[in-house]
Amino acid sequence: RPQIAQAEIAAYFRNDPDAALSASKRLGASFILRGLISSQATPNPIMAVNQVTVDMGFTLTASNGRLISDTEASSASYSGNDVQRMALALVNEKADEVVARLYADYCRNAGRK
């Protein structure tokens, strides 16, 4: 089991999703959560301040590939000088909402065939 878990981690960091899925199935995973969080920082064209936008997307599937949940969230704000801190604050601000949607969809859809 530790070798399979290590193979899954190694596959993830090699950006090899097929190998990561294979390793997780050998571990007996019932669900697979995939996500992407991206951010963009730009100067505001009207005011002399930085602004940051954060986009998040998550997909929860059963181990057989059946879609259980697909959710997105985004947020934007002026950031001042500390763009990274504001990006993290925006992620944290939306995290509860995203987790709640994933969980609600899991409760609604996980038992269906």
Side-chain angles (χ1 to χ4, degrees), residues 61-112:
T61 58
S63 60
N64 64 4
R66 184 176 52 83
L67 180 67
I68 294 173
S69 181
D70 188 26
T71 187
E72 297 178 354
S74 77
S75 190
S77 178
Y78 296 114
S79 62
N81 291 329
D82 197 347
V83 173
Q84 289 181 327
R85 182 174 293 194
M86 180 51 72
L88 179 59
L90 293 174
V91 168
N92 287 333
E93 179 181 289
K94 291 293 185 173
D96 289 342
E97 176 184 327
V98 169
V99 170
R101 277 192 254 151
L102 288 167
Y103 185 67
D105 289 346
Y106 165 79
C107 291
R108 200 172 20 258
N109 301 324
R112 295 184 185 167

Side-chain angles (χ1 to χ4, degrees), residues 41-60:
T42 57
N44 184 287
I46 298 171
M47 300 168 56
V49 296
N50 294 322
Q51 58 189 29
V52 63
T53 303
V54 174
D55 296 303
M56 298 178 278
F58 295 93
T59 303
L60 180 65

Side-chain angles (χ1 to χ4, degrees), residues 7 11-12 14-26 34:
Y12 171 81
R14 284 192 320 268
N15 198 23
D16 187 351
D18 293 331
L21 281 174
S22 175
S24 66
K25 285 181 182 178
R26 287 182 291 182
R34 293 182 183 159

